[in-house]
Amino acid sequence: MVEILSNMAGSVWKIKVKENDVVKEGDVLIILESMKMEIPIEATHSGVVASISTKEGEFVQEGDCLVKISND
């Protein structure tokens, strides 16, 4: 299981995946908004989205787990 973490504090602007989606390394999973900039959060590994730990509009801190990817 791979955890995809927020690399900065910001608001979750858009969630681009849902649970059980198959993703490839580099796919955009979530877009954060911080200081009027959009920051894409990409998959660091290929696999299946096991869980999403946030909702659109929610504020996250740097280091928060956003998505878990199963790479079994």
Side-chain angles (χ1 to χ4, degrees):
M1 191 76 61
V2 176
E3 291 187 344
I4 307 300
L5 306 178
S6 175
N7 55 6
M8 66 185 314
S11 295
V12 177
W13 181 68
K14 182 79 176 158
I15 298 176
K16 307 281 282 176
V17 294
K18 59 186 182 303
E19 288 185 8
N20 299 316
D21 280 359
V22 175
V23 296
K24 294 183 205 141
E25 183 177 343
D27 285 354
V28 175
L29 306 175
I30 290 178
I31 300 174
L32 296 181
E33 190 275 326
S34 181
M35 299 180 339
K36 299 190 183 193
M37 293 175 40
E38 294 177 10
I39 299 95
I41 304 297
E42 298 177 348
T44 56
H45 294 76
S46 298
V48 177
V49 176
S51 65
I52 300 170
S53 307
T54 189
K55 296 181 231 167
E56 290 182 4
E58 192 170 75
F59 189 83
V60 295
Q61 298 291 334
E62 182 176 350
D64 285 354
C65 179
L66 303 175
V67 176
K68 289 184 181 177
I69 296 176
S70 172
N71 57 351
D72 299 336

